[in-house]
Structure formats: structure tokens, C-alpha cells
Amino acid sequence: MHAPVSDARKVPEMPSRAPYGAYAAILGSFAGSLGVVAALERALGRPPRSGTPLELAVLCAATFKAARAISRERVGSVVREPFVEVEVDPLVGEPVEERPAGQGLRRAVGELVTCTRCAGTWAAGGLITTQVLAPRFGRLLTWSLAAGAGNDFLQAGFAALCARADDER
């Protein structure tokens, strides 16, 4: 994100009291969802298995990419929009900063979708769920996101090398 612009429209400050009831509901939903998936896995007769180190590395990369897409990229703004207030740079009309909006559950979800670590936990749960319920699709989705994460790192590395080469001229 860009640094805030002094002329930008000011977004109201968040209420001081955290929405603890909403946090509890979100945590309960996450744990309950994983419990349902585990029960479905058992009902489908799929034995639980431990993954390999490679599978864990791919899941980590895919989770990284999904979390960044949800919480930071423009394509994820459709997920964030109902739960955030956006500060816009009036000179260029581009978003400068997003903050959780409202109170209660709306604010708690806004905090979740603007936090890469929080979104990452949910993304990991979603990717694992797809691997349990639709293994072929889950594997395709996870590996595609992991490849996207690899691309992000390669692009950043290439840009850094180009900038360094330009500085040395």
C-alpha cells in the first residue's frame, strides 16, 4: 500500500472496545468447520494421513499466496469491501489504506480479511478442506497458488537484481 496522503479523506477511527463476542464466533466457526471436515473425511472412508515435507512446503506457499490475494491485492477487494472503510487519495482516486469498518461481527471480519496472518489461517483451512473433500481439485488449487507464490518471489527477486544493477551503473 502507499503511504497515507495528507489531503486524503480521513477514515473514522475504530471503536476502542474489541468485539470479543464476534471473535469467539469466528474462532468457533473455524474450529467447527474443521471438525465437520474431519467427520466427512471419516464418513467418506478416507484415512487421515500425514503429509510429506514437500506437501507442507507447497501448502505454506499456497496459503501465503491466497492470504495476500485476500488481504492485499485488488482481486481480493471484493471480499474485503463489505467489511472495510477505504481511505482514498483524492488526487489520483486510488485507495491508500483500508481499515476494518463498523462494530461487532462486521469489524471482526474486517480485521480478519485485512490481516495476512489471519486470512492465511483460514486459507490453509480452506485448502486442506478442498484436499479432503475434492482431492484432485484441492491438489490443483494448492499447487496453482503455490506456483503463483513462487512467481511472486521470482518477480521480486528479479526486480531487486535490476534495481541493484541500475544503482551500480
Side-chain angles (χ1 to χ4, degrees), residues 5 7 17-19 25 27-28 35 37 41-42 48-49 63 67 74 80 90 93 110 128 137 149 155 161 165 169:
V5 176
D7 294 335
R17 175 134 168 84
L27 288 172
V37 170
E41 182 178 45
R42 184 177 193 141
R49 64 180 188 88
T63 297
R74 285 184 184 185
R80 296 187 308 273
I128 290 168
F137 173 73
Q155 293 291 345
L161 286 173
R169 288 186 198 178

Side-chain angles (χ1 to χ4, degrees), residues 57-67 123 127 141-147 149:
V58 170
L59 178 63
C60 289
T63 297
F64 167 82
K65 181 62 178 174
L127 290 169
L141 178 62
T142 300
W143 280 82
S144 295
L145 287 167

Side-chain angles (χ1 to χ4, degrees), residues 113-166:
V113 298
T114 57
C115 169
T116 55
R117 292 178 304 206
C118 304
T121 301
W122 280 80
L127 290 169
I128 290 168
T129 296
T130 62
Q131 291 176 13
V132 168
L133 300 180
R136 288 180 189 219
F137 173 73
R139 182 177 170 91
L140 179 66
L141 178 62
T142 300
W143 280 82
S144 295
L145 287 167
N151 177 64
D152 287 351
F153 282 102
L154 290 170
Q155 293 291 345
F158 182 75
L161 286 173
C162 289
R164 184 174 179 185
D166 288 345

Side-chain angles (χ1 to χ4, degrees), residues 1 64-80 98 113 116 145 148-149 152:
M1 297 252 155
F64 167 82
K65 181 62 178 174
R68 293 291 299 179
I70 292 166
S71 63
R72 296 287 185 264
E73 295 177 11
R74 285 184 184 185
V75 71
S77 65
V78 68
V79 174
R80 296 187 308 273
E98 293 179 344
V113 298
T116 55
L145 287 167
D152 287 351

Side-chain angles (χ1 to χ4, degrees), residues 13 42 86 103 135 143 160:
E13 292 295 319
R42 184 177 193 141
V86 181
Q103 297 180 7
W143 280 82

